[in-house]
Amino acid sequence: MSIQFRNLLCIYTRYFTLSVEIIRKQYPEYIAACDQVLKRRSAHMFNMFIMRSSYFDEYCEWLFDVLFKLKDSIDITDYDAREARVFGYLSELMLDMWIEKNGYSYREVPVQYLEAKKTFQKGLNLIARKLFPNREKKTHF
């Protein structure tokens, strides 16, 4: 996992722990896959995938059941745009849990960015977030 993603997990440890507890209680058959994914140093990011509609339906049923239960446990009304993406960050790891538990095969393909990466601007905003934590945060450019 990227350093940025690991830092986000540290920020959202409480919510991440709650989601794992929901999985352990509601879906005990996912415990081994959950533990396996949490030990990895990589993950499938961006919530991008192509799969059969039957797999997609199966995945969404499980994913949104967990996320809606988590939503009932937390209040994000005072979060900025980045913090409010907590469900997106968690779901990126949950995809790997679902794949691992069900033993589905997958193939990774390169991702092409169609827009400029704006690396310099992102770097400046990272520094600004560290120096001025109360300033309005930009998450996407």
Side-chain angles (χ1 to χ4, degrees):
M1 278 176 237
S2 70
I3 292 171
Q4 182 181 18
F5 195 78
R6 287 187 181 276
N7 288 341
L8 287 170
L9 286 181
C10 290
I11 293 167
Y12 301 117
T13 299
R14 177 173 168 249
Y15 308 124
F16 187 72
T17 303
L18 281 171
S19 65
V20 170
E21 285 305 310
I22 291 167
I23 292 169
R24 290 185 189 280
K25 288 177 184 172
Q26 301 294 316
Y27 297 94
E29 66 274 19
Y30 278 82
I31 293 172
C34 183
D35 292 340
Q36 190 69 17
V37 167
L38 296 179
K39 291 177 188 174
R40 292 185 186 158
R41 297 187 61 128
S42 64
H44 293 100
M45 310 321 284
F46 311 119
N47 285 318
M48 295 191 314
F49 45 79
I50 299 171
M51 64 177 78
R52 293 182 190 148
S53 62
S54 60
Y55 288 178
F56 180 75
D57 291 343
E58 177 188 324
Y59 171 61
C60 287
E61 183 177 330
W62 174 74
L63 172 71
F64 288 108
D65 184 53
V66 173
L67 292 180
F68 282 128
K69 284 178 173 58
L70 178 64
K71 180 182 170 281
D72 292 340
S73 304
I74 64 175
D75 179 17
I76 63 168
T77 53
D78 294 329
Y79 284 11
D80 63 32
R82 184 176 185 213
E83 293 167 333
R85 283 205 68 249
V86 63
F87 301 107
Y89 296 129
L90 295 173
S91 67
E92 289 175 333
L93 287 178
M94 292 175 68
L95 174 63
D96 283 345
M97 292 175 198
W98 178 77
I99 291 170
E100 179 76 25
K101 185 265 179 201
N102 292 296
Y104 293 137
S105 62
Y106 60 88
R107 181 175 35 184
E108 296 176 3
V109 296
V111 174
Q112 294 293 323
Y113 292 96
L114 300 178
E115 298 177 1
K117 290 186 181 181
K118 300 182 182 178
T119 305
F120 182 75
Q121 185 64 40
K122 287 183 178 184
L124 287 177
N125 278 299
L126 173 66
I127 293 167
R129 281 196 311 268
K130 299 297 180 188
L131 294 177
F132 309 104
N134 294 326
R135 132 184 204 273
E136 183 180 347
K137 298 176 177 93
K138 285 188 171 184
T139 59
H140 297 88
F141 304 90

